[in-house]
Amino acid sequence: MAPKKESRTWNMKSVERDERMMLEEEIDALKNIIEDQNEQLQAAESRENAQIKKHDDSIKEITENYKKEMDNLRTQIKEEKEKCEILKSNSADPDGLKYNDVLKQRIAIDAQKKELDSIKSKAEEDEKKHQETVRDILNTNDADKMEISCLKTEVEKKHEELNALLAKYEKFVDKLKDKLECPVCLDIPRSGPISVCPNGHFVCNKCKVNSCPTCRESMGTGKSLLAVTIIENIDHKCKFTVCQE
């Protein structure tokens, strides 16, 4: 009966070791995914900041040009109004300008009015283009913000998955430590060999006696290679009392 029990114990330990290795591989893979997504998120934020700065500069330049054109247009309109007032006052004076001169000035005024209308139309068209440019910039910023928000959500989801895997891993390691704990001194051995009874119970070398402290079976000379592999790959508390590591 003892060899069968030892075989079952060995199989259980082998399954636990394989499960632990799979958990470590999943955690490493998930960490790599999160690192890649963090890099993508940082790159997207950098692109968005650069694009926003470029758009802001473009808006500023367009606005300044528009203001200059409007100022020039107001100045021209003011000058034309002053000329019209002068012409009106001269036309009202019988001793003033001659009819032909007045007619020429009116023709010139009509031409200037047409030019002013053309300038106004161009200014209105430029303003419309400016508004469309601003609208496109805002739409682009909204799309970038949406992409960054999706990336953040995905990273948070991956963090949650990683935390769940870490919790599962820590629970698994705690379970292994509980199985490896010496039933006499309640310490986890730091190095091999580790003695094991026919029923699979462990005991450290300093506490080993002729019989198993757990089941009272004869200890014999059995050693557990699996237990040694586990204790070599788990964290141990510092053996010094004052140390907190």
Side-chain angles (χ1 to χ4, degrees):
M1 296 299 291
K4 291 183 178 180
K5 290 181 178 180
E6 183 177 0
S7 176
R8 287 197 300 270
T9 302
W10 174 264
N11 291 333
M12 290 175 62
K13 297 300 179 182
S14 178
V15 171
E16 290 178 351
R17 180 185 60 187
D18 293 340
E19 185 178 356
R20 178 174 175 271
M21 292 176 65
M22 290 175 63
L23 279 173
E24 290 178 347
E25 291 176 355
E26 290 179 3
I27 289 173
D28 291 338
L30 194 54
K31 284 181 178 178
N32 292 332
I33 292 173
I34 291 176
E35 289 177 358
D36 292 340
Q37 291 182 342
N38 282 332
E39 291 177 358
Q40 293 178 5
L41 182 61
Q42 292 175 359
E45 289 178 346
S46 298
R47 290 196 303 269
E48 183 193 18
N49 292 333
Q51 192 170 10
I52 289 173
K53 185 178 183 302
K54 183 179 178 181
H55 291 165
D56 290 341
D57 294 340
S58 177
I59 291 174
K60 184 177 180 181
E61 183 180 358
I62 293 172
T63 303
E64 290 177 353
N65 292 334
Y66 176 72
K67 287 181 178 179
K68 289 179 180 178
E69 290 181 0
M70 293 302 296
D71 291 338
N72 293 333
L73 183 60
R74 291 191 185 99
T75 302
Q76 292 178 5
I77 292 174
K78 184 178 179 181
E79 291 176 353
E80 294 303 325
K81 284 183 178 180
E82 291 175 354
K83 290 180 180 179
C84 288
E85 293 296 331
I86 293 172
L87 287 174
K88 286 181 181 178
S89 61
N90 291 334
S91 297
D93 187 1
D95 298 330
L97 296 175
K98 294 181 179 180
Y99 176 77
N100 290 333
D101 293 335
V102 173
L103 184 60
K104 290 179 181 180
Q105 288 179 351
R106 286 182 178 178
I107 293 173
I109 289 173
D110 291 337
Q112 289 176 348
K113 284 183 178 180
K114 290 181 179 180
E115 184 179 358
L116 285 175
D117 291 338
S118 176
I119 293 174
K120 286 181 180 179
S121 299
K122 186 177 184 301
E124 291 174 355
E125 185 178 354
D126 290 340
E127 183 180 4
K128 184 177 179 181
K129 290 181 179 179
H130 169 71
Q131 291 176 353
E132 291 177 353
T133 302
V134 172
R135 189 161 49 249
D136 292 340
I137 290 172
L138 293 176
N139 292 336
T140 303
N141 288 342
D142 291 339
D144 291 339
K145 288 179 181 179
M146 182 67 69
E147 182 181 359
I148 290 176
S149 177
C150 293
L151 283 173
K152 286 183 178 179
T153 303
E154 190 172 355
V155 169
E156 289 174 358
K157 183 178 178 181
K158 293 298 182 181
H159 274 299
E160 291 177 358
E161 293 178 1
L162 177 61
N163 291 333
L165 274 177
L166 288 174
K168 185 177 180 181
Y169 173 75
E170 290 174 357
K171 183 178 180 181
F172 177 71
V173 172
D174 291 340
K175 185 176 179 181
L176 290 177
K177 288 181 178 180
D178 181 65
K179 295 296 182 181
L180 292 173
E181 185 179 78
C182 177
V184 180
C185 64
L186 303 180
D187 288 334
I188 297 175
R190 295 177 178 274
S191 61
I194 297 179
S195 300
V196 60
C197 78
N199 292 327
H201 301 125
F202 301 110
V203 64
C204 67
N205 288 330
K206 67 180 181 180
C207 298
K208 179 185 177 183
V209 292
N210 292 331
S211 60
C212 174
T214 302
C215 64
R216 303 303 177 187
E217 287 281 344
S218 176
M219 286 297 299
T221 59
K223 307 294 180 184
S224 175
L225 297 177
L226 177 61
V228 173
T229 302
I230 293 173
I231 64 173
E232 287 178 349
N233 289 278
I234 61 175
D235 295 330
H236 296 272
K237 290 183 179 180
C238 183
K239 62 182 178 181
F240 300 104
T241 306
V242 295
C243 183
Q244 299 299 322
E245 297 294 331

